[in-house]
Amino acid sequence: MNQSYHVPVLLEEALEYLRVAPGGTYVDATLGGGGHARALAAKLGPAGRLLAVDQDPEALAAGEGLAAEFPGRVELVHGNFGDLAELLAARGIRRVDGVLADLGVSSRQLDVGERGFSFRRDGPLDMRMDPGHGPSAADLVNRAAEAELTRVLWAYGEEPRARRVARALVAARAERPLRTTAELAAVVERALGRRGAKHPATRTFQALRIAVNGELEMLERLLAALPEVLNPGGRAVLIAYHSLEDRRIKQTIRGWEPHCQCPPRDPVCSCGTPGFARVLTRRAVKPGAAELEANPRARSARLRAVELLAEGSSNRQGGRT
């Protein structure tokens, strides 16, 4: 695997919170460039097992070198992290000791214009994490009604002028279909104008990518699966790159914590909110200055970690928050 493609974000922090146990079973739910997976595999030792999951065939092809580097320790899995429970069950695995998910787009995907993820490199308007599977961004832009485009841009890109952008896209496609990233970026720039260093199409590209890949829906499914697939004491580390993801992660894992309102003398919770997990990160962990200098793309990363409580420990032991 060519490491020049990928500098793993918040690597040391992720490993610290995962608390990797040699001989354990772990999942890298988003293999990407393989930086996190390589570090995980190295810590696991010969008796450990790492499932490296990705829906992008290119990531898996590049990961073959990683599997060869750690024979019998790393298994490459083609699939979506939202299907984690099913992917584990298909391999006879009921629970694991840790899950890492580095969400968002990998450097490999951003740097290849043919994938259509970035307005900085012209290419086909695709944006699919799994090329050839499902509608592309071009399909969405050229076929969706104006109201639907407005909803997507607002809900997934938090674009305050979503209606204006949607109207401009509909007008542009009436003349000829939008087929490339440069064409899409130009339409948005004409509609919104250019102010400051941030490209006006940034939110639009984010919104379309999230919609095309069902990213938020897959994140919800991953979060729902974690309590079922983690061993007691197992940990999950999730790295998000925009507020839509980070907000869902924060609210979900905080909801897993004990919020018991029973009298302290009661040995067992009867109020129905005993909780089953402990949030390890009171605030999101962000990259430090040194990491940002070495890897500016890490600037929006936010890491949160959670630990599944041992069975029985959620009843009344340290359960008040």
Side-chain angles (χ1 to χ4, degrees), residues 129-178:
M129 300 282 189
D130 188 350
H133 179 74
S136 67
D139 294 326
L140 178 59
V141 166
N142 290 301
R143 298 176 185 174
E146 182 178 323
E148 174 63 8
L149 286 172
T150 301
R151 184 195 69 81
V152 166
L153 295 171
W154 172 252
Y156 299 147
E158 298 180 300
E159 172 55 71
R161 292 176 286 177
R163 191 180 302 277
R164 181 184 298 183
V165 175
R167 190 179 302 121
L169 292 174
V170 171
R173 77 189 190 193
E175 298 181 9
R176 64 188 181 94
L178 297 168

Side-chain angles (χ1 to χ4, degrees), residues 238-273:
L238 304 117
I239 304 173
Y241 292 86
H242 55 76
S243 60
L244 295 173
E245 292 173 336
D246 185 55
R247 191 181 306 128
R248 280 167 169 77
I249 294 168
K250 177 178 68 174
Q251 293 173 348
T252 298
I253 63 178
R254 284 185 177 178
W256 296 346
E257 287 194 300
H259 297 278
C260 182
Q261 302 299 315
C262 298
R265 63 180 178 275
D266 291 359
V268 178
C269 172
S270 60
C271 71
T273 56

Side-chain angles (χ1 to χ4, degrees), residues 6 8-9 52 72 124 141 145 147-148 179 220 230 241 253 264 293 316:
H6 180 66
V9 174
V141 166
E148 174 63 8
R179 297 299 184 195
E220 296 284 3
L230 283 173
Y241 292 86
I253 63 178
E293 183 177 355
R316 301 310 305 270

Side-chain angles (χ1 to χ4, degrees), residues 103-125:
L103 306 170
V105 188
S106 72
S107 296
R108 180 187 301 274
Q109 291 164 331
L110 286 171
D111 290 341
V112 178
E114 288 76 14
R115 299 301 299 273
F117 283 102
S118 175
F119 47 76
R120 302 185 188 281
R121 288 175 169 79
D122 192 22
L125 193 54

